[in-house]
Amino acid sequence: MTPASAAPPVPADPRPGRGVAPRPTPATAVPQRQGGVVENVTGAQSLVRALEEVGAEVVFGMPGGAILPAYDPLMDSKRVRHVLVRHEQGAGHAAEGYAAATGKVGVCMATSGPGATNLVTPLADAAMDSVPIVAITGQVGSAAIGTDAFQEADIRGITMPITKHNYLVTDPADIPRAIAEAFHIASTGRPGPVLVDITKDALQAATTFSWPPTFELPGYRPVTKPHNKQIREAARLIKAARRPVLYIGGGVIRSGASEALREFVELTQIPLVTTLMARGAVPDEHPLHLGMPGMHGSVAAVTALQKADLLIALGTRFDDRVTGKLATFAPLAKVIHADIDPAEISKNRVADVPMVGDCTEVITELHRAMSAPDALGDYESWRAEAQGWKDTYPLGYTPPESGQMAPQYVIERIGELTGPDGTYVAGVGQHQMWAAQFVKYSRPNSWLNSGGLGTMGFSVPAAMGAKAAEPERVVWAIDGDGCFQMTNQELATCVINNIPIKVAIINNSSLGMVRQWQTLFYNERYSNTDLHTAHGGERIPDFVKLAEAYGCVGLRCERAEDVDDTIRQALEINDRPVVIDFVVCRDAMVWPMVPAGVSNDEIMYARGVSPVWDREE
């Protein structure tokens, strides 16, 4: 086995929602269930036993030649459920959905060569969005490595830039340790994907299995507790500020820090924004919540960041979709930046107070520091000003003059009729932004999407994974007609495995976000964005017939007055997946919008309409 990097591990924190424990130790053993008993097994049996012992509940995968030895003992496992997908990309996104909905490690499995390379997109997606998954791939026999053997691909080399860590295992004795380390690394520090590539001969060979393994990971010591000096300096800046903003990123969700954050907001009464990856970290209905910042964020959120004199950035990475033109982002603000990943601190925006640590630990320590008498500043006039922007420029939309359905209305009604206990999983594009804007989120992990990589096709398999993880919840895949056609084959997986997700296709017969840009920036020259799925008398394919062919319930809605009844009908069906073809206006656009590459000061509230303020202030 050849590790990529390593260090003394940190034992997993037993508290729900926590990815890391506060104190590292030089060696770790995963909780013992075997009592030290040594079993004579094959490498494949050892792999399945290891998955059982680390607590894997569901594996999404597809067999093939190199991984086939593992599938024989997997069939006998009473503790690990295998879900046979129709494409390995679906397995990876399903593992992401499982992990994002629960905070647990998601697992996917594929064979060598094309099976493994089909996992590349989900691995890159998980790396960008800090999703803890373990991908297990078969590899050709160790003697054949490097010979261009049938279905050989150097998946370890291919995925090294997009995994947190990865392994090539050629010795069956190393399998339990590799799996234990993989789960530990995926779920501690900044969560992320880990790949374990195992040769076929290692799976077939005789070995022994005992649990737990002891392992050393030199160099891997996630810092979870922030330095007291930095906490004191942050408290000083917060007290001195007059226009502070809490800039909340997805790290708060991954850390399980939402409750601590809500208490901190109540204490400080500082306005906040939640990024696309942090929706639900604080309920949307909270009076201090200004909305989502960024390219399609609310005017109040974008403006507050631009006019703030202090940003308290927690678990966020100052990505380009939030900052716009970086040189003009929040020009008046000092920055407190806390993140579990030291590589993110000052990467894009230099932090005045850098803090490396787990968001839960950071917020808890800040709360303690700000609870002292006279620790808080006077933010009353700032709150009133921010509320004024919120009142003046609320999120909204204009119903289409054509009489066709507004996609925003459809998504808004899905959220209202399903309620806060539902889980909403979006594809990528206009429907993703509308789902982020018009569904009201009040709990963490209720909103799942591909944020950093922007992966079309994410929604259906990720919703499948979320539903497999939490079968009692209503899970909606809010998808576009373009995204849906990339991974809809996983509907067969859902039907056969009794995973009754609900799919809302926001069908504007277009690659909608690309079409919006063509409208605004390419003189309405619609080059290769018409999908022929709804308009012009064409239905290629007919989504209702396609759903029925897969064994789902297929519904179609083309009138606004039928939206509620159609959604209610879908909510009443829980014995199989439901697919609704919502035929909507193709000219609807996502507003507000900051065009790419310009200052956030140039935010447009609607086409040709910009907020009026003193930009020189």
Side-chain angles (χ1 to χ4, degrees):
M1 179 177 66
T2 312
S5 63
V10 185
D13 192 326
R15 295 170 289 176
R18 304 293 179 91
V20 292
R23 294 178 59 190
T25 58
T28 286
V30 180
Q32 183 168 351
R33 294 176 183 165
Q34 280 297 304
V37 176
V38 176
E39 303 174 39
N40 294 314
V41 294
T42 65
Q45 290 171 320
S46 180
L47 170 62
V48 175
R49 295 287 290 109
L51 288 172
E52 292 175 339
E53 296 305 325
V54 294
E57 299 169 328
V58 184
V59 173
F60 301 93
M62 178 180 287
I67 196 67
L68 193 58
Y71 271 81
D72 187 65
L74 185 59
M75 186 176 184
D76 298 326
S77 177
K78 300 295 190 292
R79 288 153 60 182
V80 179
R81 175 191 182 191
H82 182 271
V83 174
L84 173 62
V85 298
R86 296 304 180 267
H87 191 286
E88 292 90 353
Q89 182 182 355
H93 292 320
E96 286 189 275
Y98 177 97
T102 63
K104 301 176 183 178
V105 177
V107 188
C108 55
M109 187 179 291
T111 195
S112 64
T117 59
N118 281 340
L119 291 176
V120 168
T121 296
L123 288 170
D125 193 273
M128 289 285 276
D129 288 346
S130 305
V131 182
I133 67 172
V134 170
I136 300 166
T137 54
Q139 183 55 274
V140 300
S142 54
I145 290 177
T147 68
D148 290 333
F150 177 68
Q151 291 194 331
E152 180 188 359
D154 179 11
I155 194 61
R156 183 168 179 257
I158 291 168
T159 62
M160 196 170 288
I162 55 170
T163 52
K164 188 176 177 183
H165 190 68
N166 62 25
Y167 299 87
L168 171 61
V169 181
T170 59
D171 184 345
D174 289 333
I175 291 173
R177 177 166 60 88
I179 295 300
E181 287 182 8
F183 273 71
H184 173 74
I185 293 168
S187 60
T188 54
R190 179 178 180 172
V194 177
L195 176 113
V196 182
D197 193 32
I198 310 174
T199 60
K200 186 172 184 177
D201 55 316
L203 291 171
Q204 293 173 320
T207 186
T208 58
F209 176 84
S210 63
W211 196 267
T214 299
F215 54 85
E216 297 280 345
L217 294 171
Y220 182 67
R221 286 183 183 270
V223 175
T224 61
K225 191 173 180 61
H227 197 285
N228 287 335
K229 179 182 177 182
Q230 303 303 86
I231 292 292
R232 291 194 298 271
E233 182 61 17
R236 185 187 69 79
L237 287 185
I238 294 172
K239 177 177 173 61
R242 290 297 173 264
R243 300 188 303 279
V245 175
L246 284 160
Y247 169 22
I248 306 304
V252 169
I253 301 284
R254 299 289 184 252
S255 170
S258 295
E259 188 57 39
L261 174 62
R262 295 180 199 192
E263 293 173 0
F264 186 70
V265 171
E266 291 301 322
L267 170 70
T268 62
Q269 293 294 295
I270 293 174
L272 71 132
V273 302
T274 56
T275 67
L276 180 69
M277 297 306 299
R279 305 291 288 114
V282 172
D284 286 349
E285 60 268 22
H286 195 288
L288 292 171
H289 197 311
L290 301 180
M292 180 178 74
M295 176 175 280
H296 294 295
S298 70
V299 171
V302 172
T303 305
L305 292 175
Q306 289 300 96
K307 292 186 174 292
D309 64 0
L310 177 66
L311 301 185
I312 307 164
L314 302 173
T316 189
R317 47 190 189 87
F318 290 82
D319 70 285
D320 61 294
R321 285 296 168 111
V322 168
T323 64
K325 186 178 180 181
L326 186 60
T328 63
F329 175 68
L332 309 174
K334 292 185 176 181
V335 174
I336 299 167
H337 189 183
D339 201 283
I340 190 72
D341 185 355
E344 292 296 347
I345 306 293
S346 296
K347 183 178 77 175
N348 294 326
R349 173 69 177 261
V350 174
D352 297 276
V353 180
M355 283 191 285
V356 178
D358 176 70
C359 279
T360 300
E361 299 283 350
V362 169
I363 295 168
T364 299
E365 292 301 316
L366 283 175
H367 191 285
R368 184 177 293 115
M370 303 311 298
S371 296
D374 301 321
L376 296 170
D378 180 7
Y379 319 129
E380 185 174 354
S381 62
W382 171 239
R383 286 193 296 268
E385 187 176 6
Q387 185 61 48
W389 298 322
K390 193 174 175 181
D391 293 341
T392 303
Y393 301 105
L395 283 175
Y397 57 92
T398 302
E401 295 180 0
S402 63
Q404 295 176 311
M405 283 198 303
Q408 302 96 323
Y409 175 73
V410 171
I411 293 171
E412 186 175 49
R413 296 305 297 158
I414 288 172
E416 289 176 355
L417 292 174
T418 304
D421 289 334
T423 297
Y424 304 88
V425 188
V428 170
Q430 287 181 314
H431 64 278
Q432 175 191 24
M433 294 298 103
W434 289 321
Q437 292 174 333
F438 291 104
V439 175
K440 302 302 180 187
Y441 300 99
S442 60
R443 66 175 183 88
N445 304 318
S446 59
W447 161 248
L448 314 182
N449 82 126
S450 171
L453 197 64
T455 304
M456 292 179 68
F458 174 86
S459 181
V460 169
M464 176 175 70
K467 184 68 173 178
E470 297 185 308
E472 73 284 358
R473 290 196 188 277
V474 174
V475 177
W476 280 97
I478 299 176
D479 221 352
D481 46 316
C483 288
F484 178 72
Q485 292 186 76
M486 293 188 173
T487 51
N488 64 58
Q489 70 274 2
E490 299 309 333
L491 289 174
T493 309
C494 291
V495 169
I496 292 169
N497 291 276
N498 190 28
I499 305 175
I501 64 171
K502 305 183 193 305
V503 182
I505 304 172
I506 308 303
N507 185 0
N508 59 8
S509 200
S510 301
L511 296 171
M513 189 63 84
V514 181
R515 191 177 195 274
Q516 175 166 333
W517 282 50
Q518 287 173 334
T519 300
L520 295 175
F521 309 119
Y522 291 88
N523 299 317
E524 300 183 5
R525 288 167 54 84
Y526 300 119
S527 174
N528 290 283
T529 46
D530 188 349
L531 294 178
H532 302 275
T533 53
H535 296 279
E538 296 178 300
R539 299 194 193 278
I540 305 173
D542 185 317
F543 290 132
V544 173
K545 291 179 180 178
L546 182 64
E548 292 171 347
Y550 276 127
C552 306
V553 174
L555 304 172
R556 179 171 290 118
C557 180
E558 300 184 86
R559 303 189 309 163
E561 53 265 38
D562 297 330
V563 166
D564 282 14
D565 287 343
T566 306
I567 295 170
R568 289 192 181 100
Q569 185 178 350
L571 290 172
E572 291 170 358
I573 299 170
N574 293 301
D575 62 343
R576 50 190 159 154
V578 181
V579 177
I580 309 175
D581 180 14
F582 286 106
V583 180
V584 300
C585 176
R586 73 189 313 171
D587 293 319
M589 295 193 192
V590 183
W591 300 107
M593 180 179 181
V594 179
V598 306
S599 169
N600 282 352
D601 285 340
E602 305 299 326
I603 187 171
M604 295 185 291
Y605 183 53
R607 190 172 186 181
V609 179
S610 293
V612 177
W613 58 61
D614 183 0
R615 297 187 189 276
E616 302 303 320
E617 183 180 324

